[in-house]
């Protein structure tokens, strides 16, 4: 499985990075080899180790990576973990200084067919954005349900084999096994 991951791109390998101003995000391909016998925990540890080994190279542009790998389009799905620090106490300081922020709003768009934004915090927030020329609402809703099922399984028992995880809902399973399994 290959998908894109948004990374900060501020690696110490770039000379003078600590004094540079600007947005340094990059999107890099992530390849996940899934072996049915591995446990979910084993898969997570392996993926963490593999991605950790690539940290010094995350400043390479996607074009450079694609050219080196000899590939065209490497992925059509991207994941972004929005883990930038949010200073919640800063608003109190601004109120004291006579400035109060009552609401903030951000808008984002994706040029990838499917994007997953993950916002860690007291409550994990997930957002799927999609291009309507490639997906419809029902399909993305079903994908979101499967993702929630997967995360629930991982939270309940990370030692179960990857191949034993059922991601289909009851209706989907009945359609696949019951209706499609019967044949014409």
């Amino acid at each position: 499985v290959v998908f894109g991951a948004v990374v900060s791109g501020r690696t110490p390998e770039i000379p003078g990075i600590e004094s540079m101003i600007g947005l340094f995000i990059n999107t890099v391909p992530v390849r996940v080899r899934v072996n049915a016998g591995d446990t979910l925990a084993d898969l997570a540890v392996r993926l963490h180790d593999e991605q950790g080994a690539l940290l010094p190279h995350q400043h390479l542009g996607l074009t450079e990576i694609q050219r080196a790998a000899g590939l065209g389009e490497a992925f059509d799905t991207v994941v972004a973990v929005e883990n930038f620090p949010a200073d919640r106490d800063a608003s109190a300081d601004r109120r004291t200084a006579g400035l109060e922020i009552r609401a903030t709003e951000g808008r984002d768009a994706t040029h990838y067919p499917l994007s997953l934004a993950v916002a860690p915090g007291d409550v994990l927030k997930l957002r799927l954005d999609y291009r309507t020329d490639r997906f419809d609402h029902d399909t993305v809703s079903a994908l979101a349900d499967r993702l929630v099922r997967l995360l629930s399984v991982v939270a309940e028992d990370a030692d179960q084999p990857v191949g034993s995880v059922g991601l289909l809902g009851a209706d989907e399973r009945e359609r696949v096994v019951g209706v499609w399994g019967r044949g014409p």
Side-chain angles (χ1 to χ4, degrees):
V1 176
V2 178
F3 60 90
V6 179
V7 297
S8 73
R10 284 192 178 270
T11 61
E13 287 77 18
I14 300 175
I17 192 70
E18 69 281 352
S19 62
M20 293 181 188
I21 298 172
L23 189 61
F24 285 84
I25 64 170
N26 194 11
T27 303
V28 297
V30 175
R31 183 180 71 166
V32 181
R33 291 172 290 118
V34 181
N35 301 313
D38 286 349
T39 67
L40 294 165
D42 292 339
L43 177 60
V45 168
R46 187 179 78 238
L47 181 58
H48 181 269
D49 291 346
E50 290 172 353
Q51 292 308 299
L54 295 173
L55 283 172
H57 309 287
Q58 288 185 342
H59 66 281
L60 292 173
L62 187 55
T63 304
E64 293 171 271
I65 294 169
Q66 288 172 320
R67 187 175 21 248
L71 302 173
E73 187 176 318
F75 51 85
D76 59 3
T77 304
V78 69
V79 175
V81 178
E82 298 174 346
N83 61 349
F84 44 84
D87 187 358
R88 302 206 187 327
D89 295 330
S91 60
D93 294 340
R94 289 185 189 107
R95 263 195 308 275
T96 304
L99 177 64
E100 183 178 347
I101 298 175
R102 293 184 180 245
T104 61
E105 181 181 319
R107 296 197 186 266
D108 201 1
T110 182
H111 62 275
Y112 292 100
L114 185 65
S115 298
L116 171 63
V118 180
D122 295 337
V123 175
L124 182 67
K125 295 179 183 174
L126 306 171
R127 185 184 75 241
L128 279 174
D129 294 317
Y130 61 96
R131 288 186 16 203
T132 56
D133 64 324
R134 299 286 293 274
F135 291 99
D136 61 43
H137 175 77
D138 292 343
T139 300
V140 173
S141 182
L143 288 171
D145 290 344
R146 291 180 199 135
L147 178 59
V148 169
R149 277 192 286 282
L150 174 63
L151 294 175
S152 297
V153 167
V154 170
E156 291 169 11
D157 182 11
D159 289 325
Q160 76 176 275
V162 172
S164 70
V165 177
L167 298 180
L168 299 179
D171 292 347
E172 291 174 309
R173 183 158 175 68
E174 171 57 29
R175 187 170 51 246
V176 171
V177 176
V179 176
W180 295 349
R182 284 187 218 120

